[in-house]
Amino acid sequence: MRDPKRIPRILTLLFKIWEQQPDLRFNQLVQNLQAIYSQQNNNFGKRHFYEKDGEISYQNYYIDLFYLEDDQWEKFLRDYWSEIEEELQEREQQITPEVVDEIVQLFIEAGMNETEVTDSLKERIRLFLKKESKWLTIEALLIAIKTLSLTERKELVEKIKRI
């Protein structure tokens, strides 16, 4: 009998991974993960077939992990999640006090009063950068903020204050 405790462990891993890619539909996520697993494991589960479109016949494939044991899938998901965690930690380390101060200066240039600069605001800026660094590097985020108009910077600081 298979260990029933594997179910919450595997679902928790899928949940964490999916949270980092919220724009994916669930089946997109699963299909992407299956393709990665297959690529990393000598094309395990890759099934080739031929399709005919009128007179033209072409080869295609799909991934079938029906026979993959849950412990192997769980190990793959754990390793995949570990890679994501490492990347998140690296990005978070790039959010230095100097980076936060640089953004504060950009907001002050846009008309924010210096008395509004608090530790709480700086923490919210850090949280904003952490969240947005899923999509862009910290360097790219800085460039993006610098290229905003003064009005857009004001809008951004108001958004950050509500985080």
Side-chain angles (χ1 to χ4, degrees), residues 98-155:
E98 293 78 21
V99 168
V100 172
D101 289 342
E102 187 173 349
I103 291 172
V104 165
Q105 282 307 122
L106 292 169
F107 291 156
I108 289 171
E109 287 174 16
M112 184 179 79
N113 193 319
E114 288 188 39
T115 59
E116 297 178 76
V117 180
T118 62
D119 289 340
S120 174
L121 177 65
K122 288 182 177 185
E123 179 60 20
R124 289 180 177 168
I125 290 170
R126 195 186 70 66
L127 291 172
F128 168 79
L129 292 172
K130 181 178 176 183
K131 178 182 175 194
E132 296 302 319
S133 71
K134 290 180 193 176
W135 317 109
L136 295 171
T137 65
I138 299 301
E139 183 179 310
L141 283 166
L142 273 171
I143 292 169
I145 294 170
K146 287 177 183 177
T147 60
L148 292 175
S149 70
L150 295 180
T151 303
E152 291 169 325
R153 282 189 209 167
K154 286 179 186 178
E155 291 171 4

Side-chain angles (χ1 to χ4, degrees), residues 33-47:
L33 290 170
Q34 288 177 335
I36 294 167
Y37 180 89
S38 180
Q39 289 169 358
Q40 291 179 357
N41 291 278
N42 200 27
N43 291 322
F44 180 87
K46 191 172 190 178
R47 307 286 184 254

